[in-house]
């Protein structure tokens, strides 16, 4: 079994991105599965293109993309990606699309095909704060998640795919307001590892109440 893990390069003025820093820390094999690690540019369109080329080259059984969501207090496994680009800030090449679709022939939204709730449960069982998220935003993270699930829908039906957001790393919050959430990169990496094990162990998702009230 091969699982591809991707993380973005730094963006928005930060010098690191905990997503790829944590991905780099993962062992090359987890639960008998080969782990393929890939850095993704924080650029609309290009992110999906780079991912698509890597999927074609490696033909993984599952793909989990990882991105930074500064301000979130735990690991968040995304349930859905929407066909929308609406950037509050520019990407790393100055692109800032507003109210644009990602794929003209794509569905309005796609659901993750990895076992989202099982991933959350596995992390919680091992002491990692985690929750299901029902919005991946409208920046490059959502753009990449949507592009991945579009590729799965159109071309790679046997691949399972999903996206995880991770908090700021500890050092990123030094100059941020008191109370800004952060997590050690080592803990983020352990959360990713438990998530990979959940994907290996669960072909279908578990049934558990993890919805939100707002």
């Amino acid at each position: 079994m091969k699982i591809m893990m991707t993380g973005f390069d730094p963006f928005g003025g930060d010098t690191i991105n905990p997503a790829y820093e944590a991905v780099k820390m993962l062992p090359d094999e987890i639960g008998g599965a080969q782990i393929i690690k890939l850095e993704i540019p924080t650029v609309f369109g290009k992110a999906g293109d780079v991912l698509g080329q890597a999927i074609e080259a490696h033909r993984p059984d599952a793909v989990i993309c990882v991105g930074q969501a500064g301000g979130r207090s735990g690991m968040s496994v995304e349930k859905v990606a929407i066909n929308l680009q609406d950037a509050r800030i520019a990407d790393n090449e100055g692109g800032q699309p507003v109210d644009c679709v990602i794929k003209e022939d794509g569905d309005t939204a796609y659901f993750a095909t990895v076992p989202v709730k099982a991933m959350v449960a596995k992390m919680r069982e091992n002491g990692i704060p985690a929750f299901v998220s029902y919005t991946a935003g409208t920046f490059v993270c959502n753009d990449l998640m949507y592009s991945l699930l579009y590729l799965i829908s159109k071309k790679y039906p046997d691949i399972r795919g999903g996206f995880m957001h991770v908090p700021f790393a500890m050092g990123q919050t030094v100059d941020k307001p008191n109370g800004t959430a952060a997590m050690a990169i080592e803990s983020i990496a352990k959360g990713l590892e438990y998530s990979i094990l959940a994907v290996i162990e669960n072909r279908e998702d578990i049934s558990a109440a993890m919805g939100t009230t707002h």
Side-chain angles (χ1 to χ4, degrees), residues 117-145:
K117 291 182 176 181
M119 293 163 72
V120 170
K122 189 76 168 179
M123 286 188 280
R124 289 177 175 175
E125 288 166 7
N126 288 278
I128 303 293
F131 55 92
V132 178
S133 170
Y134 296 91
T135 175
T138 56
F139 195 52
V140 185
C141 288
N142 175 77
D143 186 70
L144 180 63
M145 181 182 179

mmCIF file of all heavy atoms in Angstrom, residues 117-145:
data_model
loop_
_atom_site.group_PDB
_atom_site.id
_atom_site.type_symbol
_atom_site.label_atom_id
_atom_site.label_comp_id
_atom_site.label_asym_id
_atom_site.label_seq_id
_atom_site.Cartn_x
_atom_site.Cartn_y
_atom_site.Cartn_z
ATOM 1 N N LYS A 117 -14.090 10.443 10.226
ATOM 2 C CA LYS A 117 -14.377 10.293 11.656
ATOM 3 C C LYS A 117 -13.451 9.279 12.322
ATOM 4 O O LYS A 117 -13.061 9.450 13.485
ATOM 5 C CB LYS A 117 -15.836 9.912 11.858
ATOM 6 C CG LYS A 117 -16.799 11.036 11.502
ATOM 7 C CD LYS A 117 -18.247 10.653 11.746
ATOM 8 C CE LYS A 117 -19.183 11.831 11.471
ATOM 9 N NZ LYS A 117 -20.609 11.489 11.714
ATOM 10 N N ALA A 118 -13.084 8.246 11.592
ATOM 11 C CA ALA A 118 -12.140 7.266 12.145
ATOM 12 C C ALA A 118 -10.782 7.902 12.382
ATOM 13 O O ALA A 118 -10.085 7.579 13.361
ATOM 14 C CB ALA A 118 -12.017 6.072 11.201
ATOM 15 N N MET A 119 -10.379 8.814 11.509
ATOM 16 C CA MET A 119 -9.114 9.518 11.677
ATOM 17 C C MET A 119 -9.147 10.380 12.932
ATOM 18 O O MET A 119 -8.205 10.401 13.727
ATOM 19 C CB MET A 119 -8.819 10.349 10.430
ATOM 20 C CG MET A 119 -8.552 9.520 9.188
ATOM 21 S SD MET A 119 -8.688 10.449 7.633
ATOM 22 C CE MET A 119 -7.213 11.479 7.707
ATOM 23 N N VAL A 120 -10.248 11.107 13.121
ATOM 24 C CA VAL A 120 -10.401 11.934 14.319
ATOM 25 C C VAL A 120 -10.380 11.066 15.572
ATOM 26 O O VAL A 120 -9.688 11.363 16.553
ATOM 27 C CB VAL A 120 -11.704 12.758 14.243
ATOM 28 C CG1 VAL A 120 -12.002 13.429 15.584
ATOM 29 C CG2 VAL A 120 -11.612 13.808 13.140
ATOM 30 N N ALA A 121 -11.127 9.970 15.541
ATOM 31 C CA ALA A 121 -11.203 9.085 16.706
ATOM 32 C C ALA A 121 -9.830 8.511 17.053
ATOM 33 O O ALA A 121 -9.459 8.428 18.232
ATOM 34 C CB ALA A 121 -12.202 7.962 16.441
ATOM 35 N N LYS A 122 -9.079 8.114 16.054
ATOM 36 C CA LYS A 122 -7.757 7.528 16.284
ATOM 37 C C LYS A 122 -6.822 8.543 16.944
ATOM 38 O O LYS A 122 -6.061 8.198 17.859
ATOM 39 C CB LYS A 122 -7.163 7.069 14.955
ATOM 40 C CG LYS A 122 -5.886 6.246 15.080
ATOM 41 C CD LYS A 122 -6.175 4.833 15.537
ATOM 42 C CE LYS A 122 -4.960 3.945 15.394
ATOM 43 N NZ LYS A 122 -5.249 2.567 15.862
ATOM 44 N N MET A 123 -6.878 9.776 16.492
ATOM 45 C CA MET A 123 -6.037 10.807 17.105
ATOM 46 C C MET A 123 -6.452 11.067 18.545
ATOM 47 O O MET A 123 -5.609 11.151 19.453
ATOM 48 C CB MET A 123 -6.083 12.093 16.271
ATOM 49 C CG MET A 123 -5.305 12.014 14.986
ATOM 50 S SD MET A 123 -5.160 13.603 14.108
ATOM 51 C CE MET A 123 -6.764 13.687 13.299
ATOM 52 N N ARG A 124 -7.751 11.179 18.785
ATOM 53 C CA ARG A 124 -8.234 11.428 20.143
ATOM 54 C C ARG A 124 -7.842 10.301 21.093
ATOM 55 O O ARG A 124 -7.454 10.542 22.247
ATOM 56 C CB ARG A 124 -9.747 11.605 20.135
ATOM 57 C CG ARG A 124 -10.219 12.904 19.491
ATOM 58 C CD ARG A 124 -11.738 12.962 19.452
ATOM 59 N NE ARG A 124 -12.225 14.239 18.943
ATOM 60 C CZ ARG A 124 -13.524 14.501 18.713
ATOM 61 N NH1 ARG A 124 -14.435 13.573 18.952
ATOM 62 N NH2 ARG A 124 -13.881 15.686 18.245
ATOM 63 N N GLU A 125 -7.940 9.060 20.619
ATOM 64 C CA GLU A 125 -7.585 7.907 21.453
ATOM 65 C C GLU A 125 -6.125 7.955 21.881
ATOM 66 O O GLU A 125 -5.748 7.362 22.895
ATOM 67 C CB GLU A 125 -7.829 6.615 20.667
ATOM 68 C CG GLU A 125 -9.296 6.277 20.462
ATOM 69 C CD GLU A 125 -9.489 5.198 19.399
ATOM 70 O OE1 GLU A 125 -8.463 4.641 18.927
ATOM 71 O OE2 GLU A 125 -10.643 4.931 19.039
ATOM 72 N N ASN A 126 -5.318 8.658 21.107
ATOM 73 C CA ASN A 126 -3.881 8.724 21.386
ATOM 74 C C ASN A 126 -3.445 10.103 21.892
ATOM 75 O O ASN A 126 -2.261 10.455 21.810
ATOM 76 C CB ASN A 126 -3.100 8.331 20.136
ATOM 77 C CG ASN A 126 -3.199 6.848 19.840
ATOM 78 O OD1 ASN A 126 -2.469 6.046 20.431
ATOM 79 N ND2 ASN A 126 -4.108 6.467 18.944
ATOM 80 N N GLY A 127 -4.399 10.865 22.420
ATOM 81 C CA GLY A 127 -4.070 12.110 23.105
ATOM 82 C C GLY A 127 -3.808 13.314 22.224
ATOM 83 O O GLY A 127 -3.261 14.315 22.699
ATOM 84 N N ILE A 128 -4.232 13.252 20.963
ATOM 85 C CA ILE A 128 -4.050 14.383 20.050
ATOM 86 C C ILE A 128 -5.390 15.089 19.864
ATOM 87 O O ILE A 128 -6.361 14.461 19.417
ATOM 88 C CB ILE A 128 -3.512 13.921 18.682
ATOM 89 C CG1 ILE A 128 -2.196 13.145 18.834
ATOM 90 C CG2 ILE A 128 -3.346 15.111 17.738
ATOM 91 C CD1 ILE A 128 -1.036 13.968 19.319
ATOM 92 N N PRO A 129 -5.502 16.381 20.188
ATOM 93 C CA PRO A 129 -6.759 17.103 19.963
ATOM 94 C C PRO A 129 -7.124 17.085 18.481
ATOM 95 O O PRO A 129 -6.307 17.433 17.627
ATOM 96 C CB PRO A 129 -6.452 18.524 20.438
ATOM 97 C CG PRO A 129 -5.256 18.393 21.335
ATOM 98 C CD PRO A 129 -4.462 17.249 20.791
ATOM 99 N N ALA A 130 -8.359 16.680 18.177
ATOM 100 C CA ALA A 130 -8.766 16.551 16.777
ATOM 101 C C ALA A 130 -10.276 16.688 16.659
ATOM 102 O O ALA A 130 -11.017 16.397 17.600
ATOM 103 C CB ALA A 130 -8.320 15.202 16.216
ATOM 104 N N PHE A 131 -10.721 17.133 15.496
ATOM 105 C CA PHE A 131 -12.158 17.254 15.244
ATOM 106 C C PHE A 131 -12.420 17.212 13.744
ATOM 107 O O PHE A 131 -11.512 17.398 12.930
ATOM 108 C CB PHE A 131 -12.712 18.543 15.855
ATOM 109 C CG PHE A 131 -12.007 19.804 15.406
ATOM 110 C CD1 PHE A 131 -12.457 20.519 14.312
ATOM 111 C CD2 PHE A 131 -10.895 20.280 16.100
ATOM 112 C CE1 PHE A 131 -11.812 21.678 13.901
ATOM 113 C CE2 PHE A 131 -10.236 21.436 15.692
ATOM 114 C CZ PHE A 131 -10.694 22.147 14.589
ATOM 115 N N VAL A 132 -13.677 16.967 13.391
ATOM 116 C CA VAL A 132 -14.107 17.040 11.996
ATOM 117 C C VAL A 132 -14.394 18.491 11.672
ATOM 118 O O VAL A 132 -15.010 19.211 12.458
ATOM 119 C CB VAL A 132 -15.368 16.194 11.752
ATOM 120 C CG1 VAL A 132 -15.819 16.319 10.289
ATOM 121 C CG2 VAL A 132 -15.118 14.737 12.094
ATOM 122 N N SER A 133 -13.926 18.946 10.518
ATOM 123 C CA SER A 133 -14.223 20.296 10.045
ATOM 124 C C SER A 133 -15.102 20.196 8.804
ATOM 125 O O SER A 133 -14.906 19.325 7.956
ATOM 126 C CB SER A 133 -12.930 21.041 9.702
ATOM 127 O OG SER A 133 -13.214 22.253 9.022
ATOM 128 N N TYR A 134 -16.061 21.102 8.727
ATOM 129 C CA TYR A 134 -16.986 21.097 7.598
ATOM 130 C C TYR A 134 -16.773 22.290 6.676
ATOM 131 O O TYR A 134 -17.611 22.596 5.834
ATOM 132 C CB TYR A 134 -18.435 21.034 8.111
ATOM 133 C CG TYR A 134 -18.697 19.742 8.851
ATOM 134 C CD1 TYR A 134 -18.503 19.656 10.230
ATOM 135 C CD2 TYR A 134 -19.089 18.599 8.171
ATOM 136 C CE1 TYR A 134 -18.704 18.464 10.912
ATOM 137 C CE2 TYR A 134 -19.297 17.403 8.834
ATOM 138 C CZ TYR A 134 -19.098 17.335 10.202
ATOM 139 O OH TYR A 134 -19.298 16.147 10.869
ATOM 140 N N THR A 135 -15.641 22.947 6.818
ATOM 141 C CA THR A 135 -15.239 23.970 5.847
ATOM 142 C C THR A 135 -13.723 24.007 5.737
ATOM 143 O O THR A 135 -13.023 24.176 6.730
ATOM 144 C CB THR A 135 -15.753 25.371 6.196
ATOM 145 O OG1 THR A 135 -15.208 26.314 5.250
ATOM 146 C CG2 THR A 135 -15.374 25.813 7.603
ATOM 147 N N ALA A 136 -13.238 23.836 4.522
ATOM 148 C CA ALA A 136 -11.796 23.921 4.262
ATOM 149 C C ALA A 136 -11.413 25.321 3.809
ATOM 150 O O ALA A 136 -10.298 25.541 3.332
ATOM 151 C CB ALA A 136 -11.403 22.904 3.195
ATOM 152 N N GLY A 137 -12.335 26.286 3.961
ATOM 153 C CA GLY A 137 -12.064 27.657 3.560
ATOM 154 C C GLY A 137 -12.242 27.847 2.060
ATOM 155 O O GLY A 137 -12.855 27.029 1.361
ATOM 156 N N THR A 138 -11.685 28.943 1.546
ATOM 157 C CA THR A 138 -11.774 29.240 0.112
ATOM 158 C C THR A 138 -10.418 29.648 -0.458
ATOM 159 O O THR A 138 -10.340 30.240 -1.532
ATOM 160 C CB THR A 138 -12.804 30.372 -0.147
ATOM 161 O OG1 THR A 138 -12.453 31.533 0.629
ATOM 162 C CG2 THR A 138 -14.209 29.922 0.207
ATOM 163 N N PHE A 139 -9.349 29.337 0.290
ATOM 164 C CA PHE A 139 -7.992 29.654 -0.168
ATOM 165 C C PHE A 139 -7.394 28.416 -0.856
ATOM 166 O O PHE A 139 -8.119 27.542 -1.331
ATOM 167 C CB PHE A 139 -7.154 30.131 1.027
ATOM 168 C CG PHE A 139 -5.865 30.830 0.665
ATOM 169 C CD1 PHE A 139 -5.860 31.902 -0.227
ATOM 170 C CD2 PHE A 139 -4.653 30.427 1.214
ATOM 171 C CE1 PHE A 139 -4.670 32.549 -0.559
ATOM 172 C CE2 PHE A 139 -3.469 31.062 0.894
ATOM 173 C CZ PHE A 139 -3.476 32.128 -0.001
ATOM 174 N N VAL A 140 -6.081 28.314 -0.922
ATOM 175 C CA VAL A 140 -5.426 27.256 -1.697
ATOM 176 C C VAL A 140 -5.642 25.875 -1.061
ATOM 177 O O VAL A 140 -5.626 24.863 -1.764
ATOM 178 C CB VAL A 140 -3.931 27.560 -1.895
ATOM 179 C CG1 VAL A 140 -3.286 26.522 -2.808
ATOM 180 C CG2 VAL A 140 -3.732 28.950 -2.497
ATOM 181 N N CYS A 141 -5.883 25.810 0.238
ATOM 182 C CA CYS A 141 -6.158 24.514 0.865
ATOM 183 C C CYS A 141 -7.414 23.887 0.270
ATOM 184 O O CYS A 141 -7.411 22.729 -0.151
ATOM 185 C CB CYS A 141 -6.309 24.669 2.378
ATOM 186 S SG CYS A 141 -4.757 24.993 3.243
ATOM 187 N N ASN A 142 -8.488 24.643 0.238
ATOM 188 C CA ASN A 142 -9.717 24.141 -0.378
ATOM 189 C C ASN A 142 -9.507 23.866 -1.863
ATOM 190 O O ASN A 142 -10.007 22.872 -2.407
ATOM 191 C CB ASN A 142 -10.851 25.148 -0.190
ATOM 192 C CG ASN A 142 -12.123 24.726 -0.913
ATOM 193 O OD1 ASN A 142 -12.848 23.855 -0.459
ATOM 194 N ND2 ASN A 142 -12.381 25.347 -2.057
ATOM 195 N N ASP A 143 -8.752 24.726 -2.523
ATOM 196 C CA ASP A 143 -8.463 24.556 -3.947
ATOM 197 C C ASP A 143 -7.779 23.202 -4.190
ATOM 198 O O ASP A 143 -8.133 22.476 -5.136
ATOM 199 C CB ASP A 143 -7.565 25.700 -4.417
ATOM 200 C CG ASP A 143 -7.309 25.696 -5.912
ATOM 201 O OD1 ASP A 143 -8.248 25.973 -6.678
ATOM 202 O OD2 ASP A 143 -6.168 25.409 -6.324
ATOM 203 N N LEU A 144 -6.828 22.853 -3.330
ATOM 204 C CA LEU A 144 -6.108 21.591 -3.491
ATOM 205 C C LEU A 144 -6.997 20.401 -3.148
ATOM 206 O O LEU A 144 -7.012 19.398 -3.866
ATOM 207 C CB LEU A 144 -4.859 21.578 -2.615
ATOM 208 C CG LEU A 144 -4.013 20.305 -2.703
ATOM 209 C CD1 LEU A 144 -3.453 20.116 -4.113
ATOM 210 C CD2 LEU A 144 -2.875 20.335 -1.688
ATOM 211 N N MET A 145 -7.735 20.504 -2.050
ATOM 212 C CA MET A 145 -8.624 19.406 -1.672
ATOM 213 C C MET A 145 -9.650 19.149 -2.766
ATOM 214 O O MET A 145 -9.906 18.004 -3.142
ATOM 215 C CB MET A 145 -9.325 19.713 -0.350
ATOM 216 C CG MET A 145 -10.243 18.591 0.117
ATOM 217 S SD MET A 145 -11.098 18.994 1.666
ATOM 218 C CE MET A 145 -12.077 17.498 1.893
#
